[in-house]
Amino acid sequence: MIKIFHATVFYLALKFCMNTEEKAYIRDMNWKEKLKWKFLIVLIALIGILVVWCARKAEVRKEVTEKEILKEHVQKENEWESIKVEIPQQLQVKQELETTEEVLQEDSIRVVLMTNDYESYYHSEVSMEFYGNYEMSGAIGQNFSSGDKMVLKTGCQELANGSLTLSPENEECRIFLTSLKRGQGVPSYRGTLEIYEDSNGLHLVNELLLEDYLCGVVPSEMPASYPKEALKAQAVCARTYACVQLESKKLEKLHGQIDDSVSYQVYQNTKESPLASEAVAETKGEILLKDGKPIQAYYFSTSHGKTSTDEVWETSAPSSYLKSVDCNFDSGEPWYHWEVFVSAENILQNIQHLMPEINQIENVEIAEKGEGEAVLHLKVATDQGGKSFHSEYDIRSVLAPVGAMITRQDGSTIKGGKLLPSAYFTMEEQIDEKGRLIGYQIKGGGYGHGVGMSQNGAKGMADAGKTYREILNYFYNEVEFGQVQDVVKK
């Protein structure tokens, strides 16, 4: 009825805009002609509504995909052989790289800092220690110097105006958030720190230059011990991804553009590294473009010998820059091949998280594989009928080897989590002496979604003498190199 009402309004508006002769022509129409025109107007309106609905559905699917492809990191143990460093003492921080003398107008980014284990955006209490001089503006004006500490709670005087801002005196200043725990221990932050209070609690926004942000992202996403050309490729991918998010309004209500978790890019989970920061500096401003627009520069840990297109996420229109390529540069990595037994009971429990009404599974089979050999369709016969799973994330969730031991190609074993290591696998049914299904022996390869750049593949290519541009041109199809300032609105 609403659609017909809109069409009627459009029809009446059209009549209002007509001149006298046109109105007379319509008045003299017989009822069949008038009905025909009314039907045509309604049809056009319905088509318009359908187009808008389809576009919105595609956008929603894209948003879901962006979260799904990064959730895998939640389960990922750190198989990388990064150099472990002790948590620095707050008052013994040293500048790792010399500050550049050239001062340019650069893009900044606003990062919402989540609580421990990335559970929430809202903090009940925030404690911090300062390295360098800071000025606080808000309900109370105050200056801080190195060694000073502050604790903020909901309802405190400092937040009487609803927010406050802590601004550094120079680029060497850092705020250590002692109430937070990350992989590196106590994280420290460049730039300004804004703290807001609302009915849900306190939320924190770290605003800093995009290039400084990447210094906290690159070593959190790729081991800083990797070759510099691999780190440079990672820096370009991370910058391109961040560039896309600069236009996003998903976290606008929290005064931010992205957060520091796996839902976007991991930030300051690992201590900044001189080599990673050099990789950022040596690729300053560089991003990947297709037809003048930043691409979704997806990346993952380890391939199984090939990469995939974004068909693994049921995209309606596959991206032309994402192609399936052969990749044996990471063939020596432990995750290149793996094997695990997943019990029928385990699979049932996994499915029940998605479909609680299911009480029994009878069979699981691979129904379809894609261009890069990823499983695209998994069928499960249950007491409630056949169930199909198409999303790469759902397939890996259904077969998640929770608590089982995964054997990697180097003979090492890892306890399985809430995701199968990848969607590149074969499975063999295991039946007991009474003919009852007991589970599946799954043989697979790779770690991660398999789309875009293999990080360990990039490492292997860099070890073989390839440059970061050669690496990126290998994994992404017919892309161009551009600059952030050319595409991001100030």
Side-chain angles (χ1 to χ4, degrees):
M1 291 299 294
I2 294 175
K3 296 175 182 178
I4 295 175
F5 171 75
H6 288 163
T8 304
V9 171
F10 174 76
Y11 173 71
L12 293 174
L14 189 64
K15 287 184 66 176
F16 179 78
C17 296
M18 292 178 178
N19 57 38
T20 304
E21 292 181 358
E22 290 169 334
K23 289 180 178 179
Y25 171 75
I26 292 176
R27 189 170 55 250
D28 293 339
M29 284 182 180
N30 60 42
W31 68 272
K32 289 184 178 180
E33 290 177 317
K34 288 182 178 179
L35 183 62
K36 179 182 71 174
W37 280 104
K38 288 179 180 179
F39 176 76
L40 181 61
I41 291 172
V42 171
L43 181 62
I44 292 172
L46 290 174
I47 292 173
I49 292 169
L50 181 62
V51 169
V52 172
W53 179 81
C54 289
R56 178 56 189 155
K57 185 177 180 181
E59 183 63 26
V60 169
R61 181 60 198 166
K62 179 182 177 183
E63 292 175 4
V64 172
T65 293
E66 289 173 356
K67 290 186 186 248
E68 285 182 352
I69 62 175
L70 289 168
K71 282 179 183 177
E72 66 195 32
H73 293 289
V74 176
Q75 314 305 330
K76 183 175 183 178
E77 93 295 345
N78 188 6
E79 76 275 11
W80 292 328
E81 305 266 344
S82 296
I83 298 175
K84 301 298 181 182
V85 293
E86 294 183 359
I87 303 168
Q89 295 297 316
Q90 281 86 333
L91 304 183
Q92 297 178 344
V93 179
K94 296 182 179 180
Q95 184 73 359
E96 293 177 335
L97 292 176
E98 294 183 2
T99 304
T100 178
E101 296 180 359
E102 183 182 15
V103 180
L104 300 173
Q105 181 181 2
E106 296 183 44
D107 293 291
S108 61
I109 191 165
R110 296 176 61 80
V111 189
V112 181
L113 305 180
M114 299 188 71
T115 58
N116 293 334
D117 298 322
Y118 306 102
E119 291 181 345
S120 172
Y121 289 125
Y122 290 97
H123 305 246
S124 59
E125 179 178 308
V126 178
S127 60
M128 63 194 77
E129 185 167 346
F130 298 91
Y131 171 75
N133 298 324
Y134 280 81
E135 179 182 358
M136 182 173 73
S137 57
I140 298 175
Q142 188 174 349
N143 293 322
F144 298 93
S145 57
S146 287
D148 289 344
K149 299 178 181 181
M150 181 169 65
V151 177
L152 298 172
K153 298 181 180 181
T154 55
C156 64
Q157 288 184 332
E158 291 88 345
L159 289 165
N161 291 344
S163 67
L164 63 82
T165 300
L166 294 161
S167 304
E169 181 180 66
N170 56 52
E171 294 181 1
E172 296 184 14
C173 297
R174 300 286 189 275
I175 291 180
F176 288 80
L177 288 179
T178 52
S179 56
L180 285 187
K181 294 294 183 291
R182 296 290 189 254
Q184 63 169 298
V186 176
S188 65
Y189 297 92
R190 310 183 188 211
T192 63
L193 181 66
E194 299 173 9
I195 303 176
Y196 297 84
E197 180 179 9
D198 60 30
S199 59
N200 296 306
L202 309 179
H203 66 270
L204 317 180
V205 178
N206 178 209
E207 180 172 2
L208 71 167
L209 296 178
L210 175 60
E211 298 300 310
D212 289 343
Y213 163 74
L214 293 172
C215 291
V217 169
V218 172
S220 294
E221 292 284 1
M222 175 180 279
S225 58
Y226 278 21
K228 184 185 285 189
E229 291 302 306
L231 291 168
K232 288 164 73 172
Q234 180 67 55
V236 174
C237 287
R239 187 182 293 108
T240 305
Y241 182 84
C243 183
V244 173
Q245 300 306 318
L246 284 172
E247 301 298 322
S248 171
K249 297 185 183 297
K250 294 177 185 176
L251 297 181
E252 189 174 31
K253 291 183 178 179
L254 292 173
H255 308 92
Q257 293 165 309
I258 60 173
D259 66 37
D260 60 343
S261 78
V262 295
S263 293
Y264 292 86
Q265 293 186 112
V266 182
Y267 167 59
Q268 287 296 2
N269 188 56
T270 301
K271 183 186 175 185
E272 291 182 18
S273 154
L275 190 62
S277 295
E278 287 174 14
V280 172
E282 291 175 18
T283 61
K284 184 174 181 178
E286 281 190 85
I287 56 175
L288 296 171
L289 304 173
K290 184 71 173 183
D291 299 326
K293 297 180 180 180
I295 70 169
Q296 290 282 8
Y298 300 124
Y299 51 88
F300 62 99
S301 171
T302 309
S303 82
H304 74 297
K306 286 185 178 180
T307 65
S308 285
T309 69
D310 47 358
E311 65 180 348
V312 300
W313 301 310
E314 302 178 276
T315 50
S316 56
S319 302
S320 60
Y321 52 82
L322 294 173
K323 58 181 180 177
S324 175
V325 299
D326 292 331
C327 182
N328 58 10
F329 302 102
D330 46 6
S331 60
E333 297 294 328
W335 281 115
Y336 193 75
H337 289 304
W338 48 264
E339 185 173 349
V340 63
F341 172 76
V342 183
S343 69
E345 181 182 359
N346 207 338
I347 296 172
L348 175 61
Q349 291 175 352
N350 295 337
I351 291 179
Q352 286 176 333
H353 287 301
L354 302 172
M355 302 172 180
E357 70 277 9
I358 292 175
N359 297 307
Q360 184 179 349
I361 63 166
E362 299 165 0
N363 181 53
V364 181
E365 65 174 309
I366 297 170
E368 180 186 1
K369 286 194 173 186
E371 183 179 352
E373 298 180 5
V375 175
L376 301 181
H377 182 190
L378 190 73
K379 286 184 177 180
V380 182
T382 77
D383 60 321
Q384 301 297 318
K387 304 297 180 182
S388 290
F389 299 91
H390 295 275
S391 163
E392 176 259 357
Y393 181 76
D394 286 344
I395 291 169
R396 293 170 64 191
S397 297
V398 167
L399 297 176
V402 181
M405 298 306 295
I406 304 170
T407 302
R408 304 189 292 183
Q409 74 168 0
D410 63 351
S412 61
T413 57
I414 297 290
K415 182 177 288 189
K418 295 181 180 179
L419 284 177
L420 198 65
S422 78
Y424 306 89
F425 61 86
T426 60
M427 51 197 304
E428 183 178 340
E429 185 179 60
Q430 304 292 303
I431 298 175
D432 65 13
E433 64 278 2
K434 295 182 179 180
R436 294 176 299 191
L437 175 67
I438 60 173
Y440 290 88
Q441 192 69 24
I442 299 177
K443 295 181 179 180
Y447 198 109
H449 53 71
V451 181
M453 182 184 76
S454 163
Q455 293 170 305
N456 279 318
K459 172 182 177 289
M461 293 182 73
D463 285 336
K466 302 294 184 182
T467 67
Y468 76 97
R469 289 199 169 196
E470 289 176 317
I471 293 170
L472 294 170
N473 278 318
Y474 183 79
F475 287 110
Y476 302 102
N477 185 37
E478 297 179 353
V479 291
E480 301 171 348
F481 288 83
Q483 289 288 317
V484 170
Q485 59 266 30
D486 295 334
V487 295
V488 176
K489 296 178 183 178
K490 297 292 183 184

